[in-house]
Amino acid sequence: MKKYWGHIVDVFHREVFDGEIVVEEGRIKQVKRCELPDNGKAWPYLMPGFIDSHVHIESSMIAPCEFAYMAASHGTIGVVADPHEIGNVLGIEGVDYMIESGKNATFNFCFAAPSCVPCCPPDIETSGAVIDAAGVEQLMARDDIGVLGEMMNFPGVLNGDPEVMRKIHAALKHGKPIDGHAPGLTGSDRERYALTGISTDHECTTVEEGRACISAGMKVIIREGSAAKDFDKLCPLIGESPNMVMFCTDDCHPDDLVRGHINMMVRRALAKGYDLWNILLAASINAQRHYGLDWGMLQEGDAANFIAVDALNTHFRVLQTVIKGVEVFDCNASFGSVRQYHVHSLENHATFFPNRFEAKPITEEDISLDVSKLQTLHVMLATDGSLYTGHDAIKVRYNLFDGSRYPWGEVQKMVVLNRYQPDARPVVGLVRGFNLTHGAIAASVAHDCHNIVAIGANDEYLVKALNRVIEMKGGQVAVADDEMTDLALPIAGLMSPLSGHEVAYRCLQLCEMARRAGCPMHAPFITMSFLCLPVIPELKITDKHLWDSKNMKVVVG
């Protein structure tokens, strides 16, 4: 039995009172009002822990057990995790890996069954695996799967596609919620989407879109990730519909995770003047109610998952995180309870971690781009902090084009190579926004099928960076002039077995090298990875071709 004293933050009754919490065998045995001893000590505020309502742990590039350690240090006691990324590489084997890794941590995971693996038919892009309706039904019947992951194929939902509807029915049959993904969907289409049983969406980017979502009966998960940042636009919903909003990071890079998690959104909401109790509903309570989670709301009989903070203002600091009755984080100590997992050797990581990587090195000749006069070239317009891209069509006005030097200083060549087939040929496109002038970046993290993607100032840099990713069988690479830095990602080409702080440091080195090569973006690798996602508007590139996701058709120059 253990007792915790402090100012108890009771979200249900919207009051703060002095008292003690008695914890026994991982649950809260008693919440008692009492006077706090006057010993000259500043007593903490005890409150429900934070929950990330939608996250792809793979985007942190660390294993679930290590992610738990990082998140708990910021007051997060659990996440609703969609292993969609590793699912696209390894299928159900990848989902199982995430669940097993999570068991090595004292943390709360609610894993989703990926609903769109792959998110597009094989004529659009190549994935490493398929989880069809039968696979989804198998997963939904499992006790360690709590939700059907984001249904990105909203055209399939609206058109009543049999395979899509079979997945939805599997979730409904087992009484499990269904997450949505329908960017820009409004009006009657939004209502039809919601009527199928899909109950959340994290893709709203305007307050009007969020209101339409709520009007249709869906909860809005306000996202503030490393690339997509929607908090400032959607935060009015905290005041308007506090019971219908939740917080998430979706895709959180390790160098951002090391600085903060859901606690950062709570601070910003407080700074904007929103009601504390409404904020805590969005950050702690609504996810538990929506997903049916027994993760604790600081009431008697609840699971002993809570945090201690030093204040209830914008500058609050997490002092302690208690999960399942275990003190997994303390700002003055390191208990080590969350991170119970050790990598004994990285020399033979292939025997420890699953992967699927068959790509072979390429040459400059493989990525040549022949352009003739009057040809129309299609250019992706990338924006830092957004998953959306623009689409420029440029008419060439000259005859000569040297494939190693590009005639537009602000446009770079972009390459995507299928990593699952050794004889695949790279697809070449053009992108504006990265401003690489004397270097290149490359990675095996490329949503959603995670083929190899690279952007560079010339063919030599591109090939050098891309082939290094192939040599490592997954990773991230940045080249600037004659220097290179890299990060190996041996777990499915998506994650590293290193500690979160080590991976965060290496990611900062990669971004710094990209900046030295001319790229001004805050998150160049995440922004690049979403240029391959064919379900988000407008122009994208896959290992097959350029794709117009707005009109759902191949782009032909």
Side-chain angles (χ1 to χ4, degrees), residues 87 113 126 164:
T126 306
V164 170

Side-chain angles (χ1 to χ4, degrees), residues 45 263 266-268 270-271 276 309-317:
Y45 291 84
N263 61 319
V266 173
R267 285 177 181 168
R268 289 173 63 181
L270 287 169
L276 168 68
V309 300
D310 61 348
L312 295 179
N313 57 38
T314 57
H315 303 293
F316 77 85
R317 184 166 59 107

Side-chain angles (χ1 to χ4, degrees), residues 56-126:
H56 302 286
I57 292 173
E58 303 97 309
S59 293
S60 70
M61 294 190 291
I62 51 180
C65 49
E66 185 64 27
F67 177 93
Y69 176 77
M70 300 284 286
S73 69
H74 303 305
T76 300
I77 55 96
V79 298
V80 180
D82 185 348
H84 173 90
E85 314 303 340
I86 198 170
N88 271 279
V89 178
L90 296 165
I92 293 178
E93 176 190 355
V95 176
D96 289 338
Y97 170 83
M98 300 296 281
I99 293 172
E100 289 304 311
S101 174
K103 290 178 180 178
N104 290 294
T106 304
F107 197 71
N108 296 292
F109 292 98
C110 173
F111 281 103
S115 68
C116 299
V117 175
C119 66
C120 290
D123 60 326
I124 297 177
E125 63 176 339
T126 306

Side-chain angles (χ1 to χ4, degrees), residues 458-500:
N458 64 38
D459 290 357
E460 179 183 0
Y461 290 135
L462 270 168
V463 169
K464 184 177 182 181
L466 197 148
N467 282 344
R468 177 57 181 153
V469 173
I470 294 173
E471 181 183 2
M472 294 187 295
K473 292 191 178 299
Q476 293 187 332
V477 175
V479 176
D481 294 319
D482 59 349
E483 293 188 57
M484 173 190 290
T485 188
D486 58 40
L487 169 64
L489 301 174
I491 305 173
L494 301 174
M495 292 171 284
S496 167
L498 299 175
S499 74

Side-chain angles (χ1 to χ4, degrees), residues 382 414-415 434 436 441-447 453-456 476-477 521 523-533 541:
M414 181 174 181
V415 176
F434 284 81
L436 290 161
I441 59 176
S444 57
V445 179
H447 299 284
V453 59
I455 299 172
Q476 293 187 332
V477 175
M521 291 185 172
F525 285 90
I526 283 189
T527 302
M528 177 175 69
S529 73
F530 280 103
L531 298 182
C532 304
L533 183 56
I541 183 172

Side-chain angles (χ1 to χ4, degrees), residues 163-174:
E163 181 81 357
V164 170
M165 300 314 295
R166 187 176 163 190
K167 295 175 182 178
I168 290 174
H169 291 155
L172 297 175
K173 172 185 174 182
H174 290 281

